Amino acid sequence: MNPKALRARYESGATVDELVASSGLSYGTVLNRLHDAGTVMRTSWQTRRLRQDPQARQRLAARLRTLYEEHGATLTELASTAGKTRLVARGLLVEAGGTVRTTQHTLRMRAAARAAERQKLVLSLRARYEAGATVPNLAKDCNYSIATVYRLLHQAGTRMRPQHRHGPAHDPSKRP
């Protein structure tokens, strides 16, 4: 095999080991001929990337970008989702046109999302309280303490009903 034929096969995705097996030449001879033909050599990960289904890689990259940008996922979470390392997940994100955030930016995004969820909860509690629900029932339904429900209702600016006194009527004019 001449150097140009080896180069053509190598650039189409064949590995040096595969060229050695198919040509019957030694490993060093194949490397020398590739070098003589001006071949730019690949690393093993570049070969794996070359052999992957490009559409599948693009779909995965787009999915990771969506998770990252719209749902506030971290690089660690992306790596876990993709079954890859953080570095690979970062590369896929960049390939899909995403930009990597700082840790502080991610924390601010998550805090804002939690605040929005908390605000929805506060408004829901207020509406239910004003419709007649009791604080103990709201606490039980939401799996919060009664004190937490009172605090959330106060944050929402809820006008509280007077507390009920259970037991005998208390007459302030009678002193024991």
Side-chain angles (χ1 to χ4, degrees):
M1 289 188 113
N2 65 21
K4 290 189 189 258
L6 285 172
R7 178 180 178 175
R9 288 195 53 209
Y10 181 80
E11 288 178 350
S12 68
T15 64
V16 174
D17 288 331
E18 292 168 347
L19 293 175
V20 167
S22 66
S23 68
L25 299 171
S26 71
Y27 193 88
T29 302
V30 170
L31 284 178
N32 286 336
R33 289 191 181 173
L34 288 172
H35 179 70
D36 291 343
T39 308
V40 177
M41 302 303 287
R42 300 182 302 262
T43 62
S44 59
W45 65 268
Q46 289 171 323
T47 300
R48 283 192 301 275
R49 180 180 286 178
L50 179 68
R51 289 181 170 195
Q52 282 182 341
D53 176 19
Q55 285 79 26
R57 184 176 177 86
Q58 288 171 350
R59 285 191 305 272
L60 176 61
R63 184 168 153 247
L64 294 179
R65 181 179 179 188
T66 300
L67 288 172
Y68 190 75
E69 292 178 350
E70 295 177 15
H71 301 287
T74 63
L75 287 176
T76 302
E77 292 166 344
L78 294 181
S80 175
T81 300
K84 309 277 185 196
T85 64
R86 287 188 62 203
L87 187 61
V88 171
R90 184 183 192 285
L92 287 167
L93 177 66
V94 171
E95 278 180 34
T99 54
V100 180
R101 303 184 293 263
T102 63
T103 303
Q104 290 300 316
H105 188 247
T106 299
L107 292 174
R108 271 182 273 168
M109 276 180 63
R110 288 189 166 190
R114 282 192 308 271
E117 286 297 316
R118 177 63 68 116
Q119 186 62 29
K120 282 173 35 180
L121 172 67
V122 164
L123 294 176
S124 168
L125 288 173
R126 179 179 178 171
R128 289 173 58 196
Y129 180 79
E130 289 175 347
T134 64
V135 172
N137 287 343
L138 291 173
K140 188 176 185 181
D141 291 346
C142 296
N143 203 21
Y144 284 127
S145 70
I146 291 173
T148 299
V149 172
Y150 270 115
R151 184 173 41 81
L152 293 172
L153 289 171
H154 284 291
Q155 284 176 359
T158 307
R159 185 176 176 127
M160 303 303 288
R161 296 186 294 262
Q163 291 184 350
H164 294 278
R165 299 227 186 254
H166 301 288
H170 181 64
D171 187 1
S173 63
K174 291 185 180 181
R175 295 220 119 181

